[in-house]
Amino acid sequence: MRSLLFLALIAAGVYFYAERFGLAVGYAPFTPVLYWNYTGELRNQVRATGTRAFIKVIVEGELRKGSLEVEIRRSGQSGPGLVKRYQGRFAEEIRQPVDASLYDVIFRFKEARGQVRMDWVAARNEF
């Protein structure tokens, strides 16, 4: 009985924390990430090499509340690059042609509540 009361107390604490400060549980790109009132930014660097290179970003999920922005830009560039915004249910593959260089893939969450799976990679067009 005490252990059940202890688990209920921990669950109430996690719920209070998630409601007040936001919570993200999971590890992108390998698993879907669960967001609860989460506001934050995830920044990853990708190196594109060779000719006819592109950066591929896959986002799919469902946000019951809030939004997700995906931005792809050259590292060190101050201005915004390609920016896409998602709300509700979405599934998209973004292919951005790039030159050989280092790029930032930025995921910005604003009060997101739901589940999102993200994956990003640099590749070359072999056609």
Side-chain angles (χ1 to χ4, degrees), residues 98-116:
V98 295
D99 297 326
S101 185
L102 191 63
Y103 289 85
D104 291 327
V105 178
I106 304 165
F107 300 95
R108 287 190 190 91
F109 295 92
K110 294 182 183 157
E111 304 216 358
R113 182 181 288 188
Q115 179 179 327
V116 178

Side-chain angles (χ1 to χ4, degrees), residues 34-51:
L34 177 67
Y35 297 98
W36 189 275
N37 290 343
Y38 181 76
T39 299
E41 182 176 284
L42 173 66
R43 187 178 293 252
N44 298 287
Q45 288 193 326
V46 177
R47 180 173 304 279
T49 60
T51 59

Side-chain angles (χ1 to χ4, degrees), residues 7-20:
L7 289 175
L9 187 61
I10 288 176
V14 168
Y15 176 78
F16 177 74
Y17 181 86
E19 281 293 322
R20 183 162 178 145

